[in-house]
Amino acid sequence: MNPVKPYTLVMIPAEEWQAQKDLLQQIREELRHQREQYKEPGITADYILATEFMKAVGIKKSKLYELIAENKIKTVKKSRHLYVLATEVKRYFTDPDIR
């Protein structure tokens, strides 16, 4: 091995090189399409408004206040708005104690 030239030069026809580039581009596009198709659904914020929580789980205001009074969901009140921890949406459907 020659330490001065640690690389190898390879010549290929332009058509083959273009075919390789096209194939790589197709692979990139397919991976991008698959990544977009399988994005994680759901809410990305830490807290959501209580009205958004009620819409997401399909309950009315009286049921929301009942859950809050029984300490079954975690909420935060800031100024005049009531916020619910976003992870409570998933927990509402999975935790058998919340119904």
Side-chain angles (χ1 to χ4, degrees), residues 23-97:
L23 179 61
L24 287 173
Q25 184 61 29
Q26 285 177 340
I27 292 170
R28 272 191 228 108
E29 289 172 7
E30 181 64 30
L31 288 172
R32 188 177 304 120
H33 175 70
Q34 287 180 1
R35 186 175 43 228
E36 290 171 1
Q37 186 178 10
Y38 295 109
K39 282 190 176 176
E40 184 83 23
I43 300 164
T44 56
D46 290 336
Y47 290 90
I48 58 172
L49 287 170
T51 54
E52 293 171 345
F53 175 79
M54 291 187 299
K55 281 182 190 176
V57 299
I59 61 173
K60 302 288 182 191
K61 198 180 270 190
S62 58
K63 180 66 176 178
L64 174 71
Y65 289 131
E66 179 184 318
L67 293 171
I68 293 170
E70 295 172 355
N71 290 322
K72 292 190 175 182
I73 62 169
K74 297 175 180 84
T75 60
V76 174
K77 185 158 186 153
K78 182 158 172 114
S79 35
R80 297 175 66 187
H81 298 284
L82 183 64
Y83 294 93
V84 179
L85 197 60
T87 56
E88 295 295 283
V89 174
K90 183 176 182 180
R91 199 169 73 84
Y92 179 83
F93 293 108
T94 58
D95 191 348
D97 295 335

Side-chain angles (χ1 to χ4, degrees), residues 1-15:
M1 184 169 138
N2 187 355
V4 178
K5 291 187 174 184
Y7 55 89
T8 302
L9 182 62
V10 178
M11 295 179 61
I12 62 170
E15 300 84 30

